[in-house]
Amino acid sequence: MATQRILDFIATRRPAGPCLVVDLDIVEDNFRAFRKALPDSSIFYAVKANPAPEILRLLASLGSSFDCASVAEIEMALDAGATPNRISFGNTIKKERDVAAAHALGVSLFAVDCVEEVEKVARAAPGARVFCRVLTDGEGAEWPLSRKFGCVPAMAIDVLTHARDLGLVATGVSFHVGSQQCDTEAWDKALADAAMVFGQLAERGIVLTLVNMGGGFPTRYLKDVPSAQAYGRSIFAALRRHFGNKIPETIIEPGRGMVGDAGVIKAEVVLVSKKSVEDKNRWVYLDIGKFGGLAETMDEAIRYPIVTARDHDRMEPCVIAGPTCDSADVLYEKTPYPLPISLTVGDEVLIEGTGAYTTTYSAVAFNGFEPLRSYVI
Ligand SMILES: *Cc1c(COP(=O)(O)O)cnc(C)c1O
C-alpha cells in the first residue's frame, strides 16, 4: 500500500506535520483496471474523493470524464483539461444559479431526483440531458448513503416524463449502491429497477439511453476486497440479465476505488497514556484525527491500516484519538486497535488507504491545526 516511491518521498523530504502523499502511478493503474473491467462503460471520476489538480490532470489525459457536485468542481475539471461534454453535474441538490453557471460553461448532463429539481434545470439549462437518481438500499456498503439522494423507481417515471414535457432530454437513470460496497452483486437490484423505468417510459414513447451505475468500488483497508475485474463480470452479467441484448450506454463513477489505495498519511504519535492504573487499553493520540481528514472513522465505519516501525513488537489494543479539544475526535474506541506496546511519543505512523475522502474532509483550522497537507508524486 505504501509504495516505495511514497516511502522514499517521506524518508528524503521529511515533510513536517501530518500529510497525505499520493502516488499517481497507482491512480493510473486503477484507471486502467476499471477500463479493462468495464470496457463498454465511460468512467466519470467522482471529483470529491480527491480533487488534487495533478490527479485530475492525469485522469483527463487518460480519457476520464468527471462527476462534479458543484460549479467549483466543474471548473477544476475544466482546468485539468476536460471538455464540458465529459462533465456531469451529478449532485441532485443544486442552486438554480449554479445550474445556469454550469450550462454557461457548456455542461449539459444533470442529475435530478424530483420534479422540483427538473423545473430548475428546465429554466436554467434549457434542452439539457437529465438522468433521474433512484434510491438503493445500500446493503453491503461500509459507508452507506442513506435516503438523502434518489427517489423510488416509480417516481422516477414521473420525474423523467416531466423533464421531457419541459423540453429537456430524459436521458436515463442513475443510482449509487453505497460507498465501499464489498458485494459485487449489489448492482443487480438497482439495474433491475433501472430496466423497469426504461420499460415503463418506452410505453410512454420516451426512449432512455443511459444508465449511470455510480461509484461504490472499494479500497482495500484491513480486509481483502474483490478485484475490479470481479465487479466488471458481475455488473456485466446483471446488465445482460435485465436489458437482454439492448444494453444501454453506461457510466461508472468511481471515487474511492480510483484514489483510495494511492495515498498514505504520515502522522506522529503525540501522547500515549492510560486513564487509570488498571486501564486495559492505552490511549494513543496522533497529530491527525477526525477533523484533520479522518472523518470516515465516524462510527468507526472505515478502519484504516496503520503501520509503524515497531510492528514486530508485541501488539495490544489501544484507543486511538486525534489531537483536537473536541471529545468526538476519537477514531477507534468501540473496537480498540492493536498497536505495538513499544509505541512511544514522537514515533511516526503511516495510515494507509487514505487517498480518498481525507483532504476534502479536513477542517480549515479547527483548534488552529492547519488543513491536511497533500503531496502528489
Ligand atoms: C461520491 C459519489 C461517487 C463516488 O462514490 P465512491 O463510493 O467513492 O466510488 C459517485 N457518484 C456520486 C453521485 C457520488 O456522489
Side-chain angles (χ1 to χ4, degrees):
M1 296 261 272
T3 62
Q4 197 57 48
R5 292 180 70 215
I6 292 179
L7 294 175
D8 290 348
F9 178 87
I10 294 172
T12 56
R13 291 281 297 270
R14 310 279 344 137
C19 63
L20 170 69
V21 186
V22 174
D23 185 339
L24 281 178
D25 288 350
I26 306 291
V27 179
E28 179 162 351
D29 290 348
N30 290 336
F31 179 84
R32 295 191 191 284
F34 280 120
R35 179 172 270 175
K36 184 153 175 269
L38 285 157
D40 298 324
S41 297
S42 305
I43 300 173
F44 280 62
Y45 170 60
V47 172
K48 73 175 183 293
N50 190 326
E54 298 90 338
I55 294 175
L56 301 185
R57 277 201 296 272
L58 169 73
L59 290 172
S61 75
L62 292 171
S64 186
S65 297
F66 297 90
D67 167 47
C68 299
S70 64
V71 175
E73 284 190 353
I74 290 169
E75 286 168 342
M76 290 183 225
L78 291 170
D79 287 346
T83 45
N85 65 325
R86 280 162 60 194
I87 294 173
S88 151
F89 200 159
N91 193 343
T92 52
I93 303 153
K94 303 173 284 303
K95 288 179 179 164
E96 190 164 324
R97 58 180 177 276
D98 289 343
V99 175
H103 180 66
L105 290 169
V107 174
S108 67
L109 184 61
F110 296 85
V112 295
D113 67 358
C114 59
V115 294
E116 293 79 358
E117 191 75 11
V118 165
E119 289 179 2
K120 285 190 220 166
V121 177
R123 283 190 298 265
R129 302 164 71 206
V130 294
F131 54 86
C132 184
R133 180 154 168 183
V134 295
L135 284 165
T136 64
D137 61 19
E139 225 166 89
E142 288 174 21
W143 187 258
L145 293 171
S146 79
R147 287 172 52 77
K148 180 169 173 184
F149 309 104
C151 62
V152 298
M155 185 177 268
I157 295 165
D158 296 332
V159 170
L160 289 168
T161 304
H162 196 63
R164 191 271 316 260
D165 292 346
L166 293 182
L168 295 168
V169 181
T171 297
V173 174
S174 76
F175 55 81
H176 193 302
V177 294
S179 202
Q180 187 69 8
Q181 174 55 266
C182 294
D183 179 5
T184 58
E185 298 296 322
W187 280 256
D188 180 74
K189 164 90 174 27
L191 285 170
D193 289 341
M196 187 280 287
V197 175
F198 269 59
Q200 297 277 311
L201 283 170
E203 285 178 21
R204 296 187 186 185
I206 298 174
V207 180
L208 301 181
T209 56
L210 175 74
V211 180
N212 176 345
M213 306 189 290
F217 307 94
T219 284
R220 186 186 190 286
Y221 296 111
L222 289 168
K223 283 175 286 187
D224 268 334
V225 295
S227 64
Q229 209 60 37
Y231 284 89
R233 273 195 299 274
S234 173
I235 290 172
F236 187 73
L239 281 166
R240 269 267 173 274
R241 195 148 52 236
H242 301 296
F243 288 92
N245 55 15
K246 287 210 282 225
I247 295 182
E249 184 195 337
T250 54
I251 281 176
I252 54 168
E253 298 177 326
R256 187 188 305 278
M258 189 75 84
V259 292
D261 66 347
V264 170
I265 285 174
K266 181 214 73 140
E268 181 182 321
V269 176
V270 180
L271 182 66
V272 182
S273 63
K274 288 189 167 189
K275 300 292 164 189
S276 71
V277 182
E278 306 82 51
D279 206 345
K280 285 201 306 296
N281 296 327
R282 290 163 298 155
W283 282 64
V284 172
Y285 300 90
L286 302 177
D287 61 355
I288 185 171
K290 278 202 162 66
F291 304 99
L294 302 179
E296 287 199 316
T297 57
M298 204 185 291
D299 296 329
E300 307 190 15
I302 299 294
R303 220 168 153 78
Y304 295 108
I306 301 176
V307 175
T308 81
R310 303 181 190 268
D311 287 348
H312 49 271
D313 288 349
R314 191 158 59 82
M315 301 283 199
E316 267 182 12
C318 300
V319 176
I320 304 180
T324 65
C325 290
D326 191 308
S327 54
D329 192 11
V330 176
L331 307 182
Y332 304 117
E333 181 175 20
K334 275 185 292 175
T335 311
Y337 198 108
L339 287 176
I341 49 158
S342 52
L343 194 69
T344 188
V345 173
D347 281 357
E348 188 174 285
V349 303
L350 297 182
I351 309 173
E352 298 185 330
T354 40
Y357 303 120
T358 52
T359 51
T360 38
Y361 276 150
S362 88
V364 172
F366 183 40
N367 269 169
F369 292 103
E370 67 172 282
L372 182 58
R373 260 188 229 203
S374 129
Y375 302 91
V376 180
I377 59 173

